[in-house]
Amino acid sequence: MSELAKEYKIAQFLAKKMTGELSPEEEQELVKLKKESGSAIVDEQILNPANKRERDELISQFDTNSSLQKVVKRIHPKKQPPRNLVWWGSAAAAVIIIVFTTLILQEPILVVDESLPMAEVQAGSPKAILITPEGKQFNLSGQDSSKTLQLGNGFTAINKGNIVEYTGNSDSLSFQGTQKHVIQIPKGGEYELILPDGTHVWINSDSELSFPTQFDSTRREVFLTGEAYFSVTKDKEKPFIVKVNEDIEIKVLGTQFNVQAYQDENTIETTLCEGSVNVSDGKQKVTLTPSLQAVYSKSTKNLITRKVDTRLYSSWKDGLFVFENKPLEEIMTTLSRWYNIHVFYANQAVKTYHFTGDLERYGDFRKTLGMIEKATSIRFVINGNNIMVEEVSN
């Protein structure tokens, strides 16, 4: 029996053990397999893409729907297991059932409750890494916090622990061509940046902004992945340009706007709060006025505009999540970046539940999930930083 087959056999036995269906003979075989394997479940053997063919052959013998239904029923014996529990593909099902079973055996699963300690899930905080063109890295929230940074090539920045400000007369600095500084914000982080021209940028979790060591004489150009809010210093002679991947260019003279452009999302959204901006994909171009949003679809390549409440797209920088009739899947994606959590869904239906409300960005995670629970027919099952979302049966 291959190592991968052993891993799957172990997982299958564990699932049966959770539901009280493991025979004495299987119990003995489980002990033997675990001793022979000598490795944790859900290790590189299972997750390695090179094992896909063998994984698919093995999963054809593994009743994931039945096993996972029984595991959930064991966790909540007084409740009926959620309908349509398994909706993923066969290979993914194997990994999910094994991960889920392993989490259950490692530590107890907690249902969200005001009385339960949740110290392991913390709200995000100022975190960032600044990288110079030469590759030198500064941990802005660690050993390099609250100090003056000598960045090389005449650049100096003052870091205050939540905001880093470039100082000095940029016109006197030697031009470095296409070389750029990069500020990276991890999941569970945020940071503010003041560029040499005075432009203020709020950078959200799981984002990256790169900018030249000196703006040239005709334009101020930066590159964004993720989400950021810009308050651009006016300069009629030097338009400010935000580039997003190879798709979108946002051109302004001086204004305030939010850009959401995460790589794992299908749309790029530019929301104007003040002033005027031009948004273009090279073929299509739209001009925004306040309260208009440009939405670019990566799949259809269409660029449209729509009127929005800008508060829904900019309040994150002021400490609030503001949702208006948002699908639960989108809400949990937003929360996962900020709280650095992993979200799993018991069935497809819960993703489409909608929620409207304001949630404190720095608030207690229990209360955040509790508010969503009260407004929808769902329950959050928590194990460390792993969140299972399930439907509450009537």
Side-chain angles (χ1 to χ4, degrees), residues 224 226-228 230 242 244 250 257-261 268-271:
L224 172 69
E227 183 171 24
F230 296 85
V242 180
V244 180
I250 304 158
F257 60 99
N258 190 80
V259 181
Q260 187 177 86
I268 298 172
E269 298 174 347
T270 305
T271 308

Side-chain angles (χ1 to χ4, degrees), residues 37-51:
S37 178
S39 62
I41 302 171
V42 200
D43 65 2
E44 295 175 359
Q45 292 286 338
I46 291 177
L47 301 179
N48 190 340
N51 294 324

Side-chain angles (χ1 to χ4, degrees), residues 157-194:
I158 299 174
N159 184 34
K160 301 177 182 178
N162 67 327
I163 180 171
V164 59
E165 180 177 3
Y166 278 64
T167 61
N169 181 4
S170 62
D171 291 337
S172 66
L173 301 173
S174 58
F175 180 60
Q176 301 297 316
T178 59
Q179 291 185 332
K180 299 176 180 65
H181 284 195
V182 178
I183 184 167
Q184 297 176 338
I185 316 298
K187 285 188 175 181
E190 64 178 358
Y191 224 78
E192 296 176 43
L193 168 68
I194 298 180

